[in-house]
Amino acid sequence: MLGIIHELLLVLMVITALAVIEERDLVAAVVKYALLSLIFVLVLFQLKAPDVALSAIVVGAVIIGIFLFTIEEVEKSGGTKK
């Protein structure tokens, strides 16, 4: 049973990664990336690597924060047009 869940999570990771790549809206892409990061952490816990999973949580949170801050600053300065 655990193998089936693991395979489903890996397939879901690929689908989510493609959704991130194809997204036009940057904020929506970051939200989908956060979901991808969560699935990755679940896979790491399933592989019995909780230390790596906790590191991935911290790094993912920092990266997502940097992405959102950068998107906000670029839109504030008029760098992108909607």
Coordinates of all heavy atoms in Angstrom, one line a residue:
M1 N 0.8 -1.2 0.0 CA 0.0 0.0 0.0 C 0.9 1.3 0.0 O 0.6 2.2 -0.7 CB -0.9 0.0 1.2 CG -1.8 1.2 1.3 SD -3.0 1.1 0.0 CE -3.9 2.6 0.4
L2 N 1.9 1.2 0.8 CA 2.8 2.4 0.8 C 3.5 2.7 -0.5 O 3.7 3.8 -0.9 CB 3.9 2.2 1.9 CG 4.6 3.4 2.4 CD1 3.6 4.4 3.0 CD2 5.6 3.1 3.5
G3 N 3.8 1.6 -1.3 CA 4.4 1.8 -2.6 C 3.5 2.5 -3.5 O 3.9 3.3 -4.4
I4 N 2.2 2.2 -3.5 CA 1.2 2.8 -4.3 C 1.1 4.3 -4.0 O 1.1 5.2 -4.9 CB -0.2 2.1 -4.2 CG1 -0.1 0.7 -4.7 CG2 -1.2 2.9 -5.0 CD1 -1.3 -0.1 -4.4
I5 N 1.1 4.6 -2.7 CA 1.0 6.1 -2.3 C 2.3 6.8 -2.8 O 2.2 7.9 -3.3 CB 0.8 6.2 -0.8 CG1 -0.6 5.6 -0.4 CG2 0.9 7.6 -0.4 CD1 -0.8 5.5 1.1
H6 N 3.4 6.1 -2.7 CA 4.7 6.8 -3.1 C 4.6 7.0 -4.6 O 5.0 8.1 -5.0 CB 5.8 5.8 -2.7 CG 7.2 6.4 -3.0 ND1 7.7 7.4 -2.3 CD2 8.1 6.0 -4.0 CE1 8.9 7.7 -2.8 NE2 9.1 6.9 -3.9
E7 N 4.2 6.1 -5.4 CA 4.1 6.3 -6.8 C 3.1 7.4 -7.2 O 3.4 8.2 -8.1 CB 3.8 5.0 -7.5 CG 4.9 3.9 -7.5 CD 4.5 2.6 -8.1 OE1 3.4 2.5 -8.6 OE2 5.3 1.7 -8.0
L8 N 2.0 7.4 -6.5 CA 1.0 8.5 -6.8 C 1.6 9.9 -6.4 O 1.4 10.8 -7.2 CB -0.2 8.2 -6.0 CG -1.2 7.1 -6.4 CD1 -2.3 6.9 -5.5 CD2 -1.7 7.4 -7.8
L9 N 2.3 10.0 -5.3 CA 3.0 11.2 -5.0 C 4.0 11.7 -6.0 O 4.1 12.8 -6.4 CB 3.6 11.2 -3.6 CG 2.7 11.2 -2.4 CD1 3.4 10.9 -1.1 CD2 1.9 12.5 -2.3
L10 N 4.8 10.7 -6.5 CA 5.7 11.0 -7.6 C 5.1 11.5 -8.9 O 5.5 12.5 -9.5 CB 6.7 9.8 -7.8 CG 7.6 9.5 -6.7 CD1 8.4 8.2 -7.0 CD2 8.5 10.6 -6.3
V11 N 4.0 10.8 -9.3 CA 3.3 11.3 -10.4 C 2.7 12.7 -10.2 O 2.7 13.5 -11.1 CB 2.2 10.2 -10.8 CG1 1.2 10.8 -11.9 CG2 2.8 8.9 -11.3
L12 N 2.1 12.9 -9.0 CA 1.6 14.2 -8.7 C 2.6 15.3 -8.7 O 2.4 16.4 -9.1 CB 0.9 14.1 -7.3 CG 0.0 15.3 -6.9 CD1 -1.1 15.5 -7.9 CD2 -0.5 15.1 -5.5
M13 N 3.9 14.9 -8.3 CA 5.0 15.9 -8.4 C 5.2 16.3 -9.8 O 5.4 17.5 -10.1 CB 6.2 15.3 -7.7 CG 6.3 15.4 -6.3 SD 7.9 14.7 -5.6 CE 9.0 15.9 -6.3
V14 N 5.3 15.3 -10.7 CA 5.5 15.6 -12.1 C 4.4 16.5 -12.7 O 4.7 17.5 -13.4 CB 5.7 14.3 -12.9 CG1 5.7 14.7 -14.4 CG2 6.9 13.6 -12.5
I15 N 3.2 16.2 -12.4 CA 2.0 17.0 -12.9 C 2.1 18.4 -12.3 O 1.9 19.4 -13.0 CB 0.7 16.3 -12.5 CG1 0.6 15.0 -13.3 CG2 -0.5 17.2 -12.8 CD1 -0.6 14.1 -12.8
T16 N 2.4 18.5 -11.0 CA 2.5 19.9 -10.4 C 3.6 20.7 -11.0 O 3.5 21.9 -11.2 CB 2.6 19.7 -8.9 OG1 1.6 18.9 -8.4 CG2 2.5 21.1 -8.2
A17 N 4.8 20.0 -11.2 CA 5.9 20.7 -11.8 C 5.6 21.2 -13.2 O 5.9 22.4 -13.5 CB 7.1 19.8 -11.9
L18 N 4.9 20.5 -14.0 CA 4.4 21.0 -15.3 C 3.5 22.1 -15.2 O 3.5 23.1 -16.0 CB 3.8 19.8 -16.1 CG 4.8 18.7 -16.5 CD1 4.0 17.5 -17.2 CD2 5.8 19.3 -17.5
A19 N 2.6 22.0 -14.2 CA 1.6 23.1 -13.9 C 2.4 24.4 -13.5 O 2.0 25.5 -14.0 CB 0.6 22.8 -12.9
V20 N 3.4 24.3 -12.8 CA 4.2 25.5 -12.4 C 4.9 26.1 -13.6 O 4.9 27.3 -13.8 CB 5.3 25.1 -11.3 CG1 6.3 26.2 -11.1 CG2 4.7 24.7 -10.0
I21 N 5.4 25.2 -14.4 CA 6.1 25.7 -15.6 C 5.2 26.4 -16.6 O 5.5 27.5 -17.2 CB 6.8 24.5 -16.4 CG1 8.0 24.0 -15.5 CG2 7.4 25.0 -17.7 CD1 8.6 22.7 -16.0
E22 N 4.0 25.9 -16.7 CA 3.0 26.4 -17.7 C 2.2 27.6 -17.2 O 1.6 28.3 -18.0 CB 2.0 25.3 -18.1 CG 2.7 24.2 -18.9 CD 3.2 24.7 -20.2 OE1 2.6 25.5 -20.9 OE2 4.3 24.2 -20.6
E23 N 2.3 28.0 -15.9 CA 1.5 29.1 -15.3 C 2.1 30.4 -15.8 O 3.3 30.7 -15.8 CB 1.6 29.0 -13.8 CG 0.8 30.0 -13.1 CD -0.7 29.9 -13.4 OE1 -1.2 28.8 -13.3 OE2 -1.3 30.9 -13.8
R24 N 1.2 31.3 -16.2 CA 1.5 32.6 -16.7 C 1.6 33.6 -15.5 O 2.4 34.5 -15.5 CB 0.5 33.1 -17.7 CG 0.6 32.4 -19.0 CD 1.7 33.0 -19.8 NE 1.6 32.6 -21.2 CZ 2.7 32.5 -22.0 NH1 3.8 32.7 -21.5 NH2 2.5 32.2 -23.2
D25 N 0.6 33.5 -14.6 CA 0.6 34.4 -13.5 C 1.7 34.0 -12.5 O 1.7 32.8 -12.0 CB -0.8 34.3 -12.8 CG -0.9 35.3 -11.6 OD1 -0.2 36.3 -11.6 OD2 -1.7 35.0 -10.7
L26 N 2.5 34.9 -12.1 CA 3.7 34.6 -11.2 C 3.3 34.2 -9.8 O 3.8 33.3 -9.2 CB 4.6 35.8 -11.2 CG 5.4 36.1 -12.5 CD1 6.2 37.3 -12.3 CD2 6.2 34.9 -13.0
V27 N 2.3 34.9 -9.3 CA 1.8 34.5 -7.9 C 1.2 33.1 -7.9 O 1.5 32.3 -7.0 CB 0.9 35.6 -7.3 CG1 0.4 35.2 -6.0 CG2 1.6 36.9 -7.3
A28 N 0.4 32.8 -8.9 CA -0.2 31.5 -9.0 C 0.9 30.4 -9.2 O 0.8 29.3 -8.6 CB -1.2 31.4 -10.1
A29 N 1.9 30.8 -9.9 CA 3.1 29.8 -10.1 C 3.8 29.6 -8.8 O 4.2 28.4 -8.5 CB 4.0 30.4 -11.1
V30 N 3.9 30.6 -7.9 CA 4.6 30.4 -6.6 C 3.7 29.6 -5.7 O 4.2 28.7 -5.0 CB 4.9 31.8 -6.0 CG1 5.4 31.6 -4.6 CG2 5.9 32.5 -6.8
V31 N 2.4 29.8 -5.8 CA 1.5 28.9 -5.0 C 1.6 27.5 -5.4 O 1.6 26.6 -4.6 CB 0.0 29.5 -5.1 CG1 -0.9 28.5 -4.4 CG2 -0.1 30.8 -4.4
K32 N 1.6 27.2 -6.7 CA 1.8 25.9 -7.2 C 3.1 25.3 -6.8 O 3.3 24.1 -6.5 CB 1.5 25.8 -8.7 CG 0.1 26.1 -9.1 CD -0.1 26.1 -10.6 CE -1.5 26.4 -10.9 NZ -1.8 26.4 -12.4
Y33 N 4.1 26.1 -6.8 CA 5.5 25.7 -6.4 C 5.5 25.3 -4.9 O 6.1 24.4 -4.5 CB 6.5 26.8 -6.6 CG 7.9 26.5 -6.1 CD1 8.7 25.5 -6.8 CD2 8.3 27.0 -4.9 CE1 9.9 25.2 -6.3 CE2 9.6 26.7 -4.4 CZ 10.4 25.8 -5.1 OH 11.6 25.5 -4.6
A34 N 4.7 26.0 -4.1 CA 4.6 25.7 -2.7 C 3.9 24.3 -2.5 O 4.3 23.5 -1.7 CB 3.8 26.8 -2.0
L35 N 2.9 24.0 -3.4 CA 2.3 22.7 -3.3 C 3.3 21.6 -3.7 O 3.3 20.6 -3.1 CB 1.1 22.7 -4.2 CG 0.3 21.4 -4.4 CD1 -0.3 21.0 -3.0 CD2 -0.7 21.5 -5.4
L36 N 4.1 21.9 -4.8 CA 5.1 21.0 -5.2 C 6.1 20.7 -4.1 O 6.5 19.6 -3.8 CB 5.8 21.6 -6.4 CG 7.0 20.7 -7.0 CD1 6.5 19.4 -7.4 CD2 7.7 21.5 -8.1
S37 N 6.5 21.8 -3.4 CA 7.4 21.7 -2.2 C 6.8 20.8 -1.1 O 7.5 20.0 -0.5 CB 7.8 23.0 -1.7 OG 8.7 23.0 -0.6
L38 N 5.5 21.0 -0.9 CA 4.9 20.1 0.1 C 4.8 18.7 -0.3 O 5.1 17.8 0.6 CB 3.4 20.6 0.3 CG 2.5 19.8 1.2 CD1 3.1 19.8 2.7 CD2 1.1 20.3 1.2
I39 N 4.6 18.4 -1.5 CA 4.6 17.0 -2.0 C 5.9 16.4 -1.9 O 6.1 15.3 -1.4 CB 4.0 16.9 -3.4 CG1 2.6 17.4 -3.5 CG2 4.1 15.5 -4.0 CD1 2.1 17.6 -4.9
F40 N 7.0 17.2 -2.2 CA 8.4 16.7 -2.1 C 8.7 16.4 -0.6 O 9.3 15.4 -0.3 CB 9.3 17.8 -2.6 CG 10.7 17.5 -2.5 CD1 11.3 16.4 -3.2 CD2 11.6 18.2 -1.7 CE1 12.6 16.1 -3.1 CE2 12.9 17.9 -1.6 CZ 13.4 16.8 -2.3
V41 N 8.2 17.2 0.3 CA 8.5 16.9 1.7 C 7.8 15.7 2.2 O 8.3 14.8 2.9 CB 8.0 18.1 2.6 CG1 8.0 17.8 4.1 CG2 9.0 19.3 2.4
L42 N 6.6 15.4 1.7 CA 5.8 14.2 2.0 C 6.6 13.0 1.5 O 6.7 11.9 2.1 CB 4.4 14.2 1.4 CG 3.5 15.2 2.1 CD1 2.1 15.2 1.3 CD2 3.3 14.9 3.5
V43 N 7.2 13.1 0.3 CA 7.9 12.0 -0.3 C 9.2 11.7 0.6 O 9.5 10.6 0.8 CB 8.3 12.3 -1.8 CG1 9.4 11.3 -2.3 CG2 7.1 12.3 -2.7
L44 N 9.8 12.8 1.0 CA 11.0 12.6 1.9 C 10.7 12.0 3.2 O 11.4 11.1 3.7 CB 11.7 14.0 2.1 CG 12.4 14.6 0.9 CD1 12.9 16.0 1.2 CD2 13.6 13.7 0.5
F45 N 9.6 12.3 3.8 CA 9.1 11.7 5.0 C 8.8 10.2 4.8 O 9.1 9.3 5.6 CB 7.9 12.4 5.6 CG 8.2 13.5 6.6 CD1 7.9 14.8 6.3 CD2 9.0 13.2 7.7 CE1 8.2 15.8 7.2 CE2 9.3 14.2 8.6 CZ 8.9 15.5 8.3
Q46 N 8.2 9.9 3.6 CA 7.9 8.6 3.3 C 9.2 7.7 3.1 O 9.2 6.5 3.3 CB 7.0 8.6 2.0 CG 6.3 7.3 1.8 CD 5.3 7.4 0.6 OE1 5.7 8.0 -0.4 NE2 4.2 6.7 0.8
L47 N 10.2 8.4 2.6 CA 11.5 7.7 2.4 C 12.3 7.6 3.7 O 13.5 7.2 3.6 CB 12.3 8.4 1.3 CG 11.7 8.3 -0.1 CD1 12.5 9.1 -1.1 CD2 11.7 6.8 -0.6
K48 N 11.7 8.0 4.8 CA 12.4 7.9 6.1 C 13.6 8.8 6.2 O 14.6 8.4 6.7 CB 12.7 6.5 6.5 CG 11.5 5.6 6.6 CD 11.8 4.2 7.1 CE 10.7 3.3 7.2 NZ 9.4 3.6 6.7
A49 N 13.4 10.0 5.6 CA 14.5 11.0 5.7 C 13.9 12.3 6.3 O 13.8 13.4 5.7 CB 15.1 11.3 4.3
P50 N 13.6 12.3 7.6 CA 12.9 13.4 8.2 C 13.9 14.6 8.4 O 13.4 15.8 8.3 CB 12.5 12.9 9.6 CG 13.4 11.8 9.9 CD 13.7 11.2 8.6
D51 N 15.2 14.4 8.5 CA 16.1 15.5 8.6 C 16.2 16.3 7.3 O 16.2 17.5 7.3 CB 17.5 15.0 9.0 CG 18.0 13.9 8.2 OD1 17.2 13.2 7.5 OD2 19.2 13.6 8.2
V52 N 16.2 15.6 6.2 CA 16.2 16.2 4.9 C 14.9 16.9 4.6 O 14.9 18.0 4.1 CB 16.5 15.2 3.8 CG1 16.6 15.8 2.4 CG2 17.8 14.5 4.1
A53 N 13.8 16.3 5.1 CA 12.5 16.9 4.9 C 12.4 18.2 5.7 O 11.8 19.2 5.1 CB 11.4 15.9 5.3
L54 N 12.9 18.2 6.9 CA 12.8 19.5 7.7 C 13.7 20.6 7.0 O 13.3 21.7 7.0 CB 13.3 19.2 9.1 CG 12.3 18.4 9.9 CD1 12.9 18.0 11.3 CD2 11.0 19.1 10.1
S55 N 14.8 20.2 6.5 CA 15.7 21.2 5.8 C 14.9 21.7 4.5 O 15.0 22.9 4.2 CB 17.0 20.5 5.3 OG 17.7 20.1 6.5
A56 N 14.2 20.8 3.8 CA 13.5 21.2 2.6 C 12.3 22.2 3.0 O 12.0 23.1 2.2 CB 12.9 20.0 1.9
I57 N 11.7 22.0 4.2 CA 10.7 22.9 4.6 C 11.2 24.3 4.8 O 10.7 25.3 4.3 CB 10.0 22.4 5.9 CG1 9.2 21.1 5.6 CG2 9.1 23.4 6.5 CD1 8.7 20.4 6.9
V58 N 12.4 24.4 5.5 CA 13.0 25.7 5.7 C 13.4 26.4 4.5 O 13.1 27.5 4.2 CB 14.2 25.5 6.7 CG1 14.9 26.8 6.9 CG2 13.7 25.0 8.1
V59 N 14.1 25.6 3.6 CA 14.6 26.2 2.4 C 13.4 26.6 1.5 O 13.4 27.7 0.9 CB 15.5 25.2 1.6 CG1 15.8 25.7 0.2 CG2 16.8 25.0 2.4
G60 N 12.4 25.7 1.4 CA 11.2 26.1 0.6 C 10.5 27.3 1.1 O 10.1 28.2 0.3
A61 N 10.4 27.5 2.4 CA 9.7 28.7 3.0 C 10.5 29.9 2.6 O 9.9 31.0 2.3 CB 9.6 28.5 4.5
V62 N 11.8 29.8 2.7 CA 12.7 31.0 2.4 C 12.6 31.4 0.9 O 12.4 32.5 0.6 CB 14.1 30.8 2.8 CG1 15.0 31.8 2.3 CG2 14.2 30.7 4.3
I63 N 12.6 30.4 0.1 CA 12.6 30.6 -1.4 C 11.2 31.2 -1.8 O 11.1 32.1 -2.6 CB 12.8 29.3 -2.1 CG1 14.3 28.8 -1.9 CG2 12.5 29.4 -3.6 CD1 15.3 29.7 -2.5
I64 N 10.1 30.6 -1.2 CA 8.8 31.2 -1.5 C 8.7 32.6 -1.1 O 8.1 33.4 -1.8 CB 7.7 30.3 -0.9 CG1 7.7 28.9 -1.6 CG2 6.4 30.9 -1.0 CD1 6.9 27.8 -0.9
G65 N 9.2 32.9 0.1 CA 9.2 34.3 0.6 C 9.9 35.2 -0.3 O 9.5 36.3 -0.6
I66 N 11.1 34.8 -0.8 CA 11.9 35.6 -1.7 C 11.2 35.8 -3.0 O 11.2 36.9 -3.6 CB 13.3 35.0 -1.9 CG1 14.1 35.1 -0.6 CG2 14.0 35.6 -3.1 CD1 15.4 34.3 -0.7
F67 N 10.6 34.7 -3.5 CA 9.8 34.9 -4.8 C 8.7 35.9 -4.7 O 8.6 36.8 -5.5 CB 9.2 33.5 -5.2 CG 10.2 32.5 -5.8 CD1 9.9 31.2 -5.9 CD2 11.4 32.9 -6.3 CE1 10.8 30.3 -6.5 CE2 12.3 32.1 -6.9 CZ 12.0 30.7 -7.0
L68 N 7.9 35.8 -3.6 CA 6.8 36.7 -3.4 C 7.3 38.1 -3.2 O 6.7 39.1 -3.8 CB 5.9 36.2 -2.3 CG 5.1 34.9 -2.5 CD1 4.4 34.5 -1.2 CD2 4.2 35.1 -3.7
F69 N 8.3 38.3 -2.5 CA 8.9 39.7 -2.3 C 9.4 40.2 -3.6 O 9.1 41.4 -3.9 CB 10.0 39.6 -1.2 CG 10.7 40.9 -1.1 CD1 10.1 41.9 -0.3 CD2 11.9 41.2 -1.6 CE1 10.8 43.2 -0.2 CE2 12.6 42.4 -1.5 CZ 12.0 43.4 -0.7
T70 N 10.1 39.4 -4.4 CA 10.6 39.9 -5.7 C 9.5 40.3 -6.6 O 9.5 41.3 -7.3 CB 11.5 38.8 -6.3 OG1 12.6 38.5 -5.3 CG2 12.1 39.3 -7.6
I71 N 8.5 39.4 -6.7 CA 7.3 39.7 -7.6 C 6.6 41.0 -7.2 O 6.3 41.8 -8.0 CB 6.3 38.5 -7.6 CG1 6.9 37.3 -8.2 CG2 5.0 38.9 -8.2 CD1 6.1 36.0 -8.0
E72 N 6.5 41.2 -5.9 CA 5.8 42.4 -5.4 C 6.7 43.7 -5.7 O 6.1 44.7 -6.2 CB 5.6 42.4 -3.9 CG 5.0 43.6 -3.3 CD 4.8 43.5 -1.8 OE1 4.8 42.4 -1.3 OE2 4.7 44.6 -1.2
E73 N 8.0 43.6 -5.5 CA 8.8 44.7 -5.8 C 8.9 45.0 -7.3 O 8.9 46.2 -7.7 CB 10.2 44.5 -5.3 CG 10.3 44.5 -3.8 CD 10.0 45.8 -3.2 OE1 10.4 46.9 -3.7 OE2 9.2 45.8 -2.2
V74 N 8.9 44.0 -8.2 CA 9.0 44.2 -9.6 C 7.7 44.9 -10.1 O 7.7 45.8 -10.9 CB 9.3 42.9 -10.3 CG1 9.1 43.1 -11.8 CG2 10.7 42.5 -10.1
E75 N 6.6 44.4 -9.6 CA 5.3 44.9 -10.0 C 5.1 46.4 -9.5 O 4.5 47.2 -10.1 CB 4.1 44.1 -9.5 CG 4.0 42.8 -10.3 CD 2.9 41.9 -9.8 OE1 2.3 42.2 -8.8 OE2 2.7 40.9 -10.5
K76 N 5.6 46.6 -8.3 CA 5.6 48.0 -7.7 C 6.4 49.0 -8.5 O 6.0 50.1 -8.7 CB 6.0 48.0 -6.3 CG 5.8 49.3 -5.5 CD 6.4 49.4 -4.1 CE 6.4 48.1 -3.3 NZ 7.0 48.3 -2.0
S77 N 7.5 48.5 -9.0 CA 8.4 49.4 -9.8 C 7.9 49.5 -11.2 O 8.5 50.3 -12.0 CB 9.8 48.9 -9.7 OG 10.0 47.7 -10.4
G78 N 6.9 48.8 -11.6 CA 6.4 48.9 -13.0 C 7.1 48.0 -14.0 O 7.1 48.3 -15.2
G79 N 7.8 47.0 -13.5 CA 8.6 46.1 -14.4 C 7.8 45.2 -15.2 O 8.2 44.8 -16.3
T80 N 6.5 44.9 -14.8 CA 5.7 44.0 -15.6 C 4.4 44.7 -15.9 O 3.9 45.5 -15.1 CB 5.4 42.7 -14.9 OG1 4.7 43.0 -13.6 CG2 6.6 41.9 -14.6
K81 N 3.8 44.4 -17.0 CA 2.5 45.0 -17.4 C 1.5 43.9 -17.5 O 1.8 42.8 -18.0 CB 2.7 45.7 -18.7 CG 3.6 46.9 -18.7 CD 3.7 47.6 -20.0 CE 4.7 48.7 -19.9 NZ 4.8 49.5 -21.1
K82 N 0.3 44.2 -17.0 CA -0.7 43.2 -17.0 C -1.7 43.4 -18.2 O -1.8 44.4 -18.7 CB -1.5 43.2 -15.7 CG -0.7 42.7 -14.6 CD -1.5 42.5 -13.3 CE -0.6 42.0 -12.2 NZ -1.4 41.7 -11.1

